[in-house]
Amino acid sequence: MVIGLIGGVGSGKSAVTDILAREYGFRLLLTDDIAKKCEEPGGTGYVALTEEFGDKILTSGMGSAIDKVKFAGMIYSDENVQKRVNEIIHPIVWDSVENTIKDTKKSEGSDADIAVETALPCERFADMCDEVWFIYADEAVRIDRLAASRGYSVEKCISMIESQCSDEEFSAYSQYIIDNSGSLTETAGRVKELLCGL
């Protein structure tokens, strides 16, 4: 079974992935982590990004790490740069996810349990999954979580939330919704309910 988990920042996707891994033995594929890995020196993403943008995105010349602060500044100040980075990185990430799913099913059997977590769903992602779950939380709850865990201002939290997919867009990709606005016990109960129904 391949379950896709989608939702915005602060919605609590990590809480659901933790439940699936700890209580049900799911293998986790976290697209943020995959993207970071491929952008390390020598990685496929690193090679493609430095070919596109040169060493101006690096800390100290070719072969050094990408300067995350400098590069983020470029991405968020220029829509064309952001678009090009997405065009480069997203296919690499989805290739990695797709290959890992295939390899896992080959080694563990077609009934291997895998959860793919992302904040950027697309048709290719949806096609890989047997089910897609939208992890939802009220905006006020998301803001409180981000402020507590990351120390962000309310303004920054709202800006981050508004820069991502809307609830309607997430819902369009999903078959089920987990309301993660309440307690972890409630969320775990909903996860169990969905798994028992599959």
Side-chain angles (χ1 to χ4, degrees), residues 138-158:
D138 294 333
E139 185 172 298
V141 172
R142 296 168 66 185
I143 291 170
D144 286 345
R145 287 174 180 166
L146 290 170
S149 65
R150 306 187 191 182
Y152 292 161
S153 66
V154 171
E155 292 76 15
K156 182 168 184 177
C157 294
I158 292 173

Side-chain angles (χ1 to χ4, degrees), residues 118-188:
T118 187
L120 295 168
C122 61
E123 290 300 328
R124 185 177 178 188
F125 156 77
D127 288 343
M128 295 178 198
C129 302
D130 299 308
E131 297 283 354
V132 177
W133 299 354
F134 169 31
I135 315 306
Y136 166 85
D138 294 333
E139 185 172 298
V141 172
R142 296 168 66 185
I143 291 170
D144 286 345
R145 287 174 180 166
L146 290 170
S149 65
R150 306 187 191 182
Y152 292 161
S153 66
V154 171
E155 292 76 15
K156 182 168 184 177
C157 294
I158 292 173
S159 176
M160 290 179 69
I161 290 170
E162 291 180 346
S163 72
Q164 295 186 315
C165 293
S166 66
D167 291 344
E168 291 74 22
E169 289 171 312
F170 282 127
S171 293
Y173 281 103
S174 65
Q175 287 78 44
Y176 298 102
I177 297 176
I178 294 179
D179 188 338
N180 194 32
S181 304
S183 69
L184 191 58
T185 300
E186 291 170 326
T187 298

Side-chain angles (χ1 to χ4, degrees), residues 11-147:
S11 62
K13 295 187 299 298
S14 61
V16 177
T17 58
D18 287 348
I19 291 168
L20 287 173
R22 183 180 64 253
E23 298 186 19
Y24 300 99
F26 274 73
R27 175 170 183 172
L28 305 180
L29 300 180
L30 312 179
T31 55
D32 274 355
D33 290 351
I34 294 169
K36 289 174 185 174
K37 186 70 176 175
C38 83
E39 292 175 12
E40 291 177 356
T44 310
Y46 179 94
V47 172
L49 289 173
T50 52
E51 286 178 353
E52 180 75 20
F53 299 105
D55 62 5
K56 65 183 177 182
I57 66 172
L58 304 178
T59 54
S60 59
M62 203 58 72
S64 64
I66 292 174
D67 186 322
K68 298 295 185 183
V69 175
K70 186 196 300 182
F71 197 30
M74 291 172 57
I75 291 170
Y76 291 112
S77 64
D78 189 328
E79 288 184 2
N80 291 324
V81 171
Q82 185 176 35
K83 181 175 182 289
R84 186 64 188 127
V85 170
N86 289 341
E87 289 172 346
I88 291 170
I89 297 300
H90 290 181
I92 293 172
V93 169
W94 293 125
D95 283 348
S96 175
V97 170
E98 197 168 58
N99 290 334
T100 302
I101 289 173
K102 288 178 180 176
D103 291 344
T104 302
K105 288 187 173 183
K106 186 176 180 179
S107 62
E108 298 180 18
S110 59
D111 58 347
D113 292 327
I114 303 165
V116 182
E117 179 269 320
T118 187
L120 295 168
C122 61
E123 290 300 328
R124 185 177 178 188
F125 156 77
D127 288 343
M128 295 178 198
C129 302
D130 299 308
E131 297 283 354
V132 177
W133 299 354
F134 169 31
I135 315 306
Y136 166 85
D138 294 333
E139 185 172 298
V141 172
R142 296 168 66 185
I143 291 170
D144 286 345
R145 287 174 180 166
L146 290 170

Side-chain angles (χ1 to χ4, degrees), residues 184-195:
L184 191 58
T185 300
E186 291 170 326
T187 298
R190 177 61 172 152
V191 170
K192 183 177 181 180
E193 178 183 89
L194 289 177
L195 288 176

